[in-house]
Amino acid sequence: MEIITERLTLRPIKYKDVANLHKILSQQSTRRFNDYEQGITNTELKAWIQWDIEQYIQKKGIRLAIINDDKQFIGTIGIQFTSRFDAFMVSFELDENYRGYRYMQEALSALQIYSKEIEWLRCKNWKAKIHIENIAAINTVIKCGFRTYFHRLNKCYLVYKY
């Protein structure tokens, strides 16, 4: 399964993506706004990818590699069901060298369109939990139809409903 946009190809994450993803997750600007600010090991990353693959098989989520038109791995985007919020939580990371070009907005919009074709993703609430200082990420999801529904501690919680 692939989602193709004007500038991107989105495809399921694979073990071969570990090195590229580790590079992005190790960037200080990425770590600053994520749960793994202290860093992540390759072993932890392989387990994370395994979990993503299992979530897809169980129809509880999907993580996609974002490949640009130069065939470069530039990030990932995913949605995983969480019973805590009774919704799919959106998460994403983008190589700092590719920020500011609306790649993530393009990827999220494509995933929203694609999800309407998949029964287990259709008509579900999507939510995003974003660090309050990550203005670029907040603006990205707002441009894709999310609305702020509350702030707590250093997080901004946003919701998207079909």
Side-chain angles (χ1 to χ4, degrees):
M1 147 289 155
E2 283 188 345
I3 303 170
I4 299 173
T5 71
E6 183 179 326
R7 303 179 298 162
L8 303 172
T9 299
L10 309 177
R11 58 143 176 89
I13 193 87
K14 300 175 183 177
Y15 293 113
K16 73 176 189 173
D17 297 321
V18 167
N20 289 322
L21 184 53
H22 190 268
K23 175 185 164 247
I24 294 168
L25 297 177
S26 297
Q27 294 170 341
Q28 181 58 36
S29 59
T30 302
R31 288 185 8 223
R32 177 175 175 226
F33 296 125
N34 285 291
D35 297 332
Y36 41 84
E37 188 172 350
Q38 301 305 314
I40 190 167
T41 66
N42 279 342
T43 301
E44 292 169 324
L45 195 47
K46 287 176 186 173
W48 181 25
I49 290 173
Q50 177 62 38
W51 183 82
D52 281 320
I53 291 168
E54 291 170 5
Q55 292 296 293
Y56 182 68
I57 291 168
Q58 296 170 19
K59 298 181 179 179
K60 293 181 179 178
I62 187 170
R63 175 148 313 274
L64 302 166
I66 303 170
I67 311 298
N68 70 6
D69 50 7
D70 291 330
K71 307 295 185 216
Q72 299 295 311
F73 180 103
I74 63 171
T76 73
I77 186 166
I79 52 172
Q80 270 73 33
F81 185 78
T82 175
S83 57
R84 179 177 175 213
F85 292 102
D86 191 32
F88 280 92
M89 294 298 288
V90 175
S91 61
F92 50 84
E93 40 277 324
L94 189 65
D95 187 302
E96 61 190 14
N97 298 310
Y98 295 93
R99 295 180 191 155
Y101 300 101
R102 296 191 172 143
Y103 286 120
M104 194 53 69
Q105 185 179 338
E106 187 173 329
L108 180 54
S109 293
L111 185 55
Q112 288 171 307
I113 292 166
Y114 174 77
S115 72
K116 293 175 183 176
E117 299 174 14
I118 302 175
E119 189 277 326
W120 58 271
L121 287 176
R122 195 175 323 128
C123 299
K124 305 289 185 189
N125 289 334
W126 288 20
K127 296 185 179 180
K129 179 177 74 171
I130 300 173
H131 193 285
I132 198 74
E133 294 175 9
N134 193 345
I135 303 303
I138 291 169
N139 287 338
T140 294
V141 299
I142 287 173
K143 288 175 185 172
C144 290
F146 285 70
R147 296 293 170 249
T148 303
Y149 71 101
F150 72 90
H151 295 85
R152 186 174 65 204
L153 301 174
N154 63 348
K155 303 290 186 201
C156 177
Y157 293 80
L158 301 104
V159 65
Y160 174 80
K161 294 184 179 186
Y162 286 105

